[in-house]
Amino acid sequence: MLLHILNRSPATSEVYRQALAAMGPEDRLLLIEDGVQGAMSTLVGHFAEVTGRLYALRDDLEARGLIAHCDTTVAVTDMAGFVTLTEDADRTLSWF
Amino acid sequence: MSNEQGDLLVILRHGPHGTSWLREGLDAALVAAAFGRRVTLLFMGEGVTALLPGQGSGPLGQKGTAPTLEMLEMYDIETLLVEAEALARYGLDAGSLMLPVASVGQGRIAELTASHPLVLTF
Amino acid sequence: MRYGILLMGAPYSSQASHSALRFAKAVVARGHALEGVFFYHDGVQNAARLAAPPQDEPHLVDAWAELAAEHGVPLQVCIAAALRRGLLDEREAARHGKQGHSVEAPFELTGLGQLVDLGLRCDRLITFAP
């Protein structure tokens, strides 16, 4: 199982499609930086195929005033949780 | 053609000239190969345009990356893969590119990222 | 576990440096060994010793140096990417006949081979990019 890290918003960039194309059936996706826009209820549909395996970084949601807009299907994690996600995965890949 | 036993998968997602991502990604691949690592290259998205024949140097003599790509064989980098969806998007045919490549679909890309001990995205 | 970080974003241009630094601190706080941070692409700008950000902004160059001092983390800068972008240590400045230098310890100019080595040696390599 790999952890994929995405820092681009699906509203402005198609990089998320590359991340999804490279994901295996158990892989997880963590949204960081501008990528956390993808956790918004209006945009989370782009990640429908990885529901239940989608995470977003709390610091980046809060800094952008997006925490209240975060969809309930997204697991919100802090920096320590970010490290834990990398521990649980065999490897990580970054998409930017 | 593809080698699941490779040490390093380098994913190139940018075209030549516009940014240095392609050149610096290729540099990483060449150095790894020079140190005896088995390298697989995967051209994704815009990266497939790196393989167009007939590229020239850029403004002010910017070298571009085509000459580097032509040296890959000397470095024993022979596993060159291209994303099938990107080829279709740009209307390119795998057989018309400057180097022999194998086209890979979505499921295969996930297998490649899972099977290489180190994956670098550029 | 042994961790490595690859940073490819310039400070004060993208969030990549901030993310990498926060992650580095979190990794160390969890008790892992951070075996190195490799600076490549525009990430080499993190090594600019002359960076002088306003006082109310985080000083990223100093923050990396503190990380190295406190936890012995090697800060490795790709020499080819650095020289192109005007980042030279004393030795390279002398070699190229330049007045002054823009990189100093604990940042060290090194080859790309170190990135491959770091990636294959560590249990995890995390990339932060713009």
Side-chain angles (χ1 to χ4, degrees):
Chain A
M1 185 272 289
L2 306 186
L3 175 68
H4 299 255
I5 302 166
L6 174 66
N7 71 350
R8 291 291 171 86
S9 166
T12 59
S13 160
E14 296 208 332
V15 167
Y16 78 96
R17 292 175 47 165
Q18 294 176 349
L20 291 174
M23 285 182 69
E26 307 289 322
D27 289 2
R28 295 169 175 173
L29 180 62
L30 171 65
L31 307 175
I32 69 167
E33 302 172 1
D34 289 342
V36 298
Q37 288 177 22
M40 297 172 75
S41 298
T42 48
L43 294 171
V44 77
H46 290 97
F47 301 104
E49 61 194 90
V50 296
T51 301
R53 296 183 279 139
L54 185 62
Y55 300 77
L57 196 60
R58 178 182 296 280
D59 299 20
D60 290 335
L61 282 165
E62 286 178 344
R64 288 165 175 75
L66 291 177
I67 198 84
H69 299 268
C70 184
D71 196 79
T72 53
T73 61
V74 181
V76 177
T77 185
D78 58 12
M79 279 314 278
F82 184 174
V83 178
T84 307
L85 283 169
T86 66
E87 291 167 7
D88 294 344
D90 297 320
R91 236 168 298 117
T92 71
L93 265 85
S94 296
W95 302 93
F96 50 89
Chain B
M1 181 109 192
S2 58
N3 174 16
E4 285 184 54
Q5 303 308 309
D7 299 309
L8 173 62
L9 173 66
V10 177
I11 303 180
L12 301 165
R13 304 173 300 139
H14 294 84
H17 294 296
T19 66
S20 64
W21 287 114
L22 176 61
R23 188 189 66 219
E24 293 188 306
L26 280 171
D27 283 349
L30 293 180
V31 165
F35 278 79
R37 303 298 182 178
R38 287 159 302 171
V39 178
T40 305
L41 287 186
L42 169 62
F43 296 84
M44 269 186 102
E46 189 198 47
V48 299
T49 66
L51 292 162
L52 280 170
Q55 294 174 49
S57 57
L60 303 180
Q62 186 190 9
K63 275 195 302 185
T65 43
T68 307
L69 286 168
E70 282 162 359
M71 293 194 314
L72 289 176
E73 199 180 351
M74 272 168 40
Y75 283 81
D76 292 324
I77 300 178
E78 287 160 358
T79 310
L80 305 182
L81 309 173
V82 294
E83 182 194 14
E85 192 193 322
L87 284 181
R89 174 175 279 204
Y90 285 93
L92 301 174
D93 181 76
S96 70
L97 301 176
M98 61 180 277
L99 294 171
V101 297
S103 173
V104 292
Q106 186 163 335
R108 184 77 188 108
I109 293 174
E111 286 172 18
L112 288 162
T113 56
S115 63
H116 284 76
L118 178 60
V119 184
L120 296 175
T121 45
F122 290 97
Chain C
M1 280 184 189
R2 289 167 303 172
Y3 274 76
I5 289 175
L6 168 60
L7 175 52
M8 300 200 283
Y12 310 109
S13 298
S14 75
Q15 206 186 333
S17 299
H18 301 81
S19 296
L21 191 60
R22 283 186 306 158
F23 184 82
K25 289 178 174 174
V27 160
V28 171
R30 283 274 295 175
H32 295 300
L34 184 54
E35 303 253 319
V37 181
F38 193 91
F39 300 86
Y40 192 38
H41 191 78
D42 288 344
V44 298
Q45 302 284 359
N46 283 270
R49 79 177 183 99
L50 298 173
Q55 287 200 343
D56 61 351
E57 286 183 32
H59 198 307
L60 293 163
V61 180
D62 286 356
W64 286 119
E66 279 163 27
L67 184 79
E70 285 170 24
H71 303 287
V73 181
L75 305 177
Q76 301 175 320
V77 183
C78 173
I79 188 165
L83 292 184
R84 282 193 179 103
R85 292 168 173 89
L87 290 153
L88 290 76
D89 59 12
E90 270 188 298
R91 189 173 138 219
E92 290 301 319
R95 204 163 73 84
H96 291 270
K98 303 284 186 187
Q99 294 276 328
H101 61 284
S102 44
V103 174
E104 64 187 358
F107 292 92
E108 50 178 317
L109 298 180
T110 185
L112 256 182
Q114 293 297 316
L115 168 62
V116 178
D117 180 63
L118 184 70
L120 290 170
R121 179 163 45 89
C122 291
D123 300 304
R124 302 286 183 274
L125 180 76
I126 321 293
T127 298
F128 293 93

